[in-house]
Amino acid sequence: MTLKASFPPVARADARVLILGSLPGDRSLAQQRYYAHPQNQFWHLLAPIVGQDLPALSYDDRLAALIAARIALWDVVATARRTGSSDAAIRDAAANDLPALLARLPDLRAVAFNGGSALAIGRPLVADRPVAILALPSSSPLHTIGRVAKQPAWNAIVDYLA
């Protein structure tokens, strides 16, 4: 199994929502971009929330749109061994220092977990913080309920941005 590592956080001090994934998949790691797999629904799910066609933008412009909307982005796993991209294959996970990041985000109102693995690993690390916890259906194409069914849960992010 290959040791894989997450990316640095994308965050500005005025963030109101922090979205946490588990660990970037192989396509994302190869491209050094969050949610790079073309079938991952992440950018599509966030588009109506930020009011921009995120999939049509360059990667840097996508990140800028999130920051402008006061959304931060990171992963709960700093390093882990994993064959392939499935969260079920994560072994020997070491968590990112979520409490340290949260301490640098004084306006934070909610932590949104992108999928069950992110929630299971990350929730204990933020449980003592005075923020709402949002358990979102995974944006991964492996979570097959479809984007339309996922969108209402993701839309809850809007309530914490104002």
Side-chain angles (χ1 to χ4, degrees):
M1 278 192 191
T2 305
L3 183 66
K4 298 178 181 181
S6 68
F7 308 134
V10 174
R12 195 169 68 188
D14 69 345
R16 296 230 171 136
V17 174
L18 170 61
I19 300 175
L20 294 169
S22 55
L23 179 68
D26 287 348
R27 178 79 57 99
S28 292
L29 291 169
Q31 294 184 19
Q32 289 295 293
R33 296 178 177 196
Y34 281 103
Y35 303 100
H37 195 288
Q39 292 178 330
N40 192 294
Q41 301 162 346
F42 182 82
W43 300 109
H44 293 278
L45 290 164
L46 282 177
I49 294 164
V50 302
Q52 293 190 47
D53 184 4
L54 295 174
L57 300 177
S58 72
Y59 180 70
D60 289 339
D61 288 343
R62 290 175 185 181
L63 296 182
L66 290 186
I67 289 170
R70 300 179 78 176
I71 296 172
L73 181 61
W74 206 18
D75 288 304
V76 297
V77 176
T79 62
R81 297 199 181 282
R82 180 180 68 197
T83 300
S85 298
S86 172
D87 285 354
I90 292 174
R91 301 290 182 267
D92 305 321
N96 273 316
D97 191 352
L98 297 180
L101 178 61
L102 270 60
R104 296 192 317 259
L105 303 176
D107 296 337
L108 196 69
R109 295 180 177 175
V111 176
F113 291 97
N114 182 1
S117 295
L119 179 67
I121 297 166
R123 187 176 196 158
L125 301 172
V126 302
D128 64 339
R129 305 295 170 155
V131 295
I133 302 294
L134 303 177
L136 303 176
S138 175
S139 65
S140 168
L142 297 176
H143 188 67
T144 60
I145 67 169
R147 186 170 31 137
V148 172
K150 295 175 187 181
Q151 193 67 59
W154 280 76
N155 287 347
I157 291 170
V158 171
D159 296 339
Y160 300 94
L161 295 176

